[in-house]
Amino acid sequence: MVSFRCVRASNLTGPVLVSLRTLKAIDLHRTIQSHLNSDGANSSSSKSEAEDAKFAIRIEDAAGQDFVGSGLRFLSNMEVIGDVGDFALMSFGEGECKIEGNAGHFFCHSLHSGLVILRGHAGDSLCALGASGFVAVYGNVGHRVAVGMQGSELVIRGSVGDYACLGMRSGSVVIGGNAGKDFGQGMVAGTIFLRGDAESISQDVEENRMREPDRLKIGLLMIKAGIKSTGKEFRMFRSIHSE
Amino acid sequence: MRPEDCEPTMTPFRCDALSVRMDPLISTKGSLATLDRTLGSALGAKLTLKSGCFTRLPTDSNPTAEIAETLGPELDRTGCGVVVPAKFGEPSTGLEHMVRRSSNRIVALQPELPIDANALLSASAVELQFFGSPFRSLQANRLARWIPRMPTEISSRGEMRKKIDAIRMLTANECVIGASIVPGSIQDDVRLLLDCGIDYIHLMADAQYAFTASEGNRRLGNPDIMLHQALAVIQDANSSTKLLLSANATTAEQLYAFIDQGAFAVSIDAYVACRIPPAPAPSTDRYASVLSYRTKSATTNQWIAESINKMFEELDDLLAYTTAR
């Protein structure tokens, strides 16, 4: 069962539109409890139904508020109309989110899992320390994209700034445009697919020839991001430190 | 000049302080004993360290299930804060027992790891570690020196402040936010953290608490100097930020001395690590050797709990009958 809720951003007080404790602990918990009570005690069917109970949230008129969706989990769908500020979707996981606007710095910081699509531009440090999950950005991104990333998958349609993939440990990054200075600085492991040019490439990364599994991988990432491209025109970079 | 101006001024005799010090039959307690042991944030979050003590044992030493079963209730009963790692829960270790039993959970966030919102649920405080672990292995880290470092993704003071605000929002303002630092440039570090709006600062004077054979010789920083420098900066900034101290204090008197010098709470880890069991058990059965899975008997764990209990009693006595300077 999916409960749908529409929230108008201008009606909410404070910078937090939705947080883990306020939504999950109160609303979601009540929903699960009501399912359990109405169907009788702890029968297996009611339990499974309660576990399937998820929320769909639509936030309208967002105007660059910070910390939107911080720590949200167990959402079936979240949609934001407008821009979001810094540290939006921090530690987000186990759900899908679409944002029809731009995002500030540290978007999807510590991403846990799930799928996020941003139709606008993003600021610095996109997907920093991302542990897992998938992020697609249709616009350009600022500096230090995927800094310290540890397993997430990131597709960027536009260009990225300086220090892209700084200290990246694991995961995949697809960059459809150009990259800035010191591309791949301090990268430990992971894979970067770059379509355009980089101002300067760090000595920590080297270009590798794409093999069939790599082509398959970038093709799947593109399909997941909803971008029509086979990925043939991309170059692949890996860390010289990775085994 | 008038004649009365030339007379030496007499300091009034502090009979109340002296009576507290000299006469234990008087029920009035010293000012350190009546000190409010609650850490608070500007937004209403609170962490109460009733005994003025805390431990990093679950974070640094990964105790066995048997030790955790004994230590967990003892630490909870005495109101001791417990610093736990953000990721725990392996059933083979005793960490989960200890963490679940503790009501004063302080979740430590390492600078290079992502923040898991689920780990912050039901925590009383969040502690950002501003030092790096040279090795991934916990065992190897015991022998290593920790190095000061900023979180990986942070490149400016403003970003750090914003990240702290984000963590506050992540916990719905229900957690106290702290930071732990190791010897380095203490004054600069404390100044930075005060600017970032941290609620408390944890000074790690001796990182490994004498777990190794060389024990007390492995002092990495002088806790007295660290405390003095940090307090000076805090007073200079007119801030109410509190200081927690992890130092190589192996007796209740040393723990008391640090509280008397201005530490809000002190770590009991070095005290626990250096206890020697009573006569029938071999003297090698210290806490450190218990951790290496050589001994797991209930009696071994019992004397550790008893020694902690004794230490709290001694510390309580010292706090109760001594007035702060």
Side-chain angles (χ1 to χ4, degrees):
Chain A
M1 175 190 171
V2 176
S3 305
F4 182 77
R5 172 171 291 192
C6 183
V7 182
R8 194 164 283 276
S10 53
N11 293 339
L12 294 165
T13 56
V16 180
L17 296 180
V18 188
S19 81
L20 181 65
R21 293 201 185 198
T22 49
L23 178 80
K24 186 193 163 194
I26 300 169
D27 296 343
L28 192 58
H29 181 67
R30 276 185 193 161
T31 310
I32 292 172
Q33 284 302 312
S34 64
H35 278 292
L36 285 172
N37 294 337
S38 60
D39 293 347
N42 298 317
S43 65
S44 57
S45 61
S46 64
K47 260 190 175 179
S48 62
E49 191 183 348
E51 283 165 3
D52 291 339
K54 289 188 174 181
F55 268 93
I57 293 183
R58 181 183 167 91
I59 299 173
E60 296 176 350
D61 297 343
Q65 288 96 335
D66 294 338
F67 318 125
V68 173
S70 291
L72 266 183
R73 299 278 167 89
F74 307 111
L75 277 177
S76 72
N77 195 1
M78 178 175 173
E79 197 174 347
V80 181
I81 311 296
D83 300 339
V84 294
D86 298 342
F87 281 97
L89 300 187
M90 183 186 190
S91 194
F92 179 85
E94 295 167 57
E96 286 183 26
C97 180
K98 288 177 185 170
I99 297 179
E100 304 279 349
N102 302 318
H105 305 312
F106 293 97
F107 180 62
C108 288
H109 184 287
S110 299
L111 184 71
H112 183 260
S113 61
L115 187 143
V116 178
I117 292 177
L118 177 71
R119 296 196 181 275
H121 307 293
D124 296 343
S125 302
L126 168 73
C127 207
L129 302 179
S132 183
F134 178 85
V135 181
V137 179
Y138 290 173
N140 298 322
V141 180
H143 305 303
R144 302 197 308 278
V145 58
V147 52
M149 200 171 82
Q150 300 174 20
S152 296
E153 290 171 333
L154 184 55
V155 176
I156 299 160
R157 202 175 193 177
S159 301
V160 300
D162 300 339
Y163 296 103
C165 307
L166 177 69
M168 190 170 124
R169 285 187 176 187
S170 174
S172 305
V173 178
V174 180
I175 301 169
N178 300 319
K181 296 173 190 167
D182 291 316
F183 174 72
Q185 178 87 37
M187 188 173 156
V188 180
T191 313
I192 311 173
F193 299 97
L194 178 67
R195 187 183 185 193
D197 297 321
E199 272 186 55
S200 66
I201 297 174
S202 164
Q203 292 182 347
D204 294 324
V205 293
E206 60 182 2
E207 187 174 347
N208 290 13
R209 194 167 66 87
M210 284 207 347
R211 298 176 188 278
E212 198 53 40
D214 303 319
R215 288 194 194 95
L216 188 64
K217 186 174 186 179
I218 191 172
L220 287 171
L221 288 172
M222 288 299 195
I223 291 169
K224 213 172 176 182
I227 298 172
K228 287 180 181 173
S229 171
T230 55
K232 283 180 182 173
E233 60 274 31
F234 282 78
R235 291 181 292 157
M236 189 181 72
F237 294 87
R238 284 208 171 104
S239 168
I240 58 167
H241 309 295
S242 60
E243 294 173 356
Chain B
M1 184 181 289
R2 293 175 300 176
E4 56 266 27
D5 292 337
C6 300
E7 293 177 5
T9 53
M10 294 288 289
T11 308
F13 182 60
R14 297 181 62 192
C15 57
D16 53 339
L18 197 59
S19 64
V20 170
R21 194 185 298 271
M22 300 298 291
D23 190 355
L25 297 176
I26 296 176
S27 60
T28 312
K29 287 191 172 183
S31 59
L32 276 180
T34 54
L35 195 68
D36 184 13
R37 291 275 162 214
T38 304
L39 273 169
S41 72
L43 296 167
K46 283 181 181 176
L47 167 70
T48 304
L49 302 174
K50 201 169 62 180
S51 57
C53 293
F54 65 94
T55 175
R56 278 181 57 92
L57 290 176
T59 310
D60 296 336
S61 65
N62 206 1
T64 60
E66 290 82 2
I67 289 185
E69 288 268 347
T70 324
L71 279 186
E74 193 66 29
L75 295 174
D76 200 27
R77 188 182 64 77
T78 50
C80 188
V82 181
V83 183
V84 300
K87 287 194 174 180
F88 67 91
E90 291 177 19
S92 58
T93 68
L95 201 55
E96 199 171 3
H97 297 280
M98 188 184 266
V99 168
R100 291 203 191 284
R101 283 165 186 259
S102 172
S103 56
N104 280 344
R105 276 176 54 187
I106 303 170
V107 176
L109 297 179
Q110 293 182 13
E112 72 276 12
L113 293 182
I115 299 168
D116 186 1
N118 280 348
L120 307 185
L121 286 173
S122 73
S124 302
V126 178
E127 188 172 298
L128 298 162
Q129 292 190 352
F130 283 81
F131 54 86
S133 305
F135 303 107
R136 284 174 185 268
S137 159
L138 191 71
Q139 300 294 329
N141 267 325
R142 278 198 217 148
L143 310 172
R145 186 188 193 282
W146 289 334
I147 305 160
R149 63 171 289 185
M150 284 285 279
T152 307
E153 79 282 19
I154 300 298
S155 62
S156 71
R157 194 169 293 213
E159 288 181 359
M160 190 67 237
R161 191 183 300 128
K162 198 94 183 186
K163 184 181 178 182
I164 290 168
D165 287 343
I167 295 171
R168 281 192 202 281
M169 294 300 170
L170 203 61
T171 63
N173 296 323
E174 290 176 8
C175 285
V176 175
I177 310 291
S180 52
I181 53 176
V182 291
S185 51
I186 291 294
Q187 287 157 323
D188 292 341
D189 293 348
V190 171
R191 210 168 282 127
L192 182 143
L193 294 173
L194 292 180
D195 288 348
C196 294
I198 282 285
D199 297 325
Y200 75 87
I201 297 169
H202 181 180
L203 304 172
M204 309 274 291
D206 198 335
Q208 308 302 332
Y209 319 117
F211 275 135
T212 59
S214 52
E215 299 200 341
N217 298 326
R218 298 192 69 253
R219 292 171 78 95
L220 300 176
N222 188 322
D224 300 326
I225 294 174
M226 285 179 75
L227 255 181
H228 178 74
Q229 289 178 335
L231 279 171
V233 173
I234 288 171
Q235 284 171 1
D236 190 40
N238 200 17
S239 170
S240 60
T241 304
K242 308 289 187 193
L243 288 176
L244 272 59
L245 180 69
S246 284
N248 206 348
T250 52
T251 62
E253 285 79 10
Q254 289 174 346
L255 291 171
Y256 163 74
F258 288 130
I259 293 176
D260 195 26
Q261 284 177 46
F264 182 78
V266 286
S267 163
I268 61 167
D269 299 352
Y271 181 93
V272 176
C274 291
R275 290 305 97 194
I276 299 173
S283 60
T284 52
D285 281 358
R286 299 183 179 196
Y287 182 80
S289 62
V290 171
L291 289 175
S292 65
Y293 301 93
R294 275 191 289 173
T295 49
K296 289 184 179 178
S297 68
T299 52
T300 306
N301 306 323
Q302 196 58 40
W303 67 256
I304 294 176
E306 283 171 4
S307 67
I308 288 179
N309 199 20
K310 188 185 166 194
M311 185 275 296
F312 277 125
E313 284 179 4
E314 289 175 8
L315 184 62
D316 197 39
D317 286 348
L318 285 167
L319 292 174
Y321 295 112
T322 315
T323 309
R325 284 190 289 271

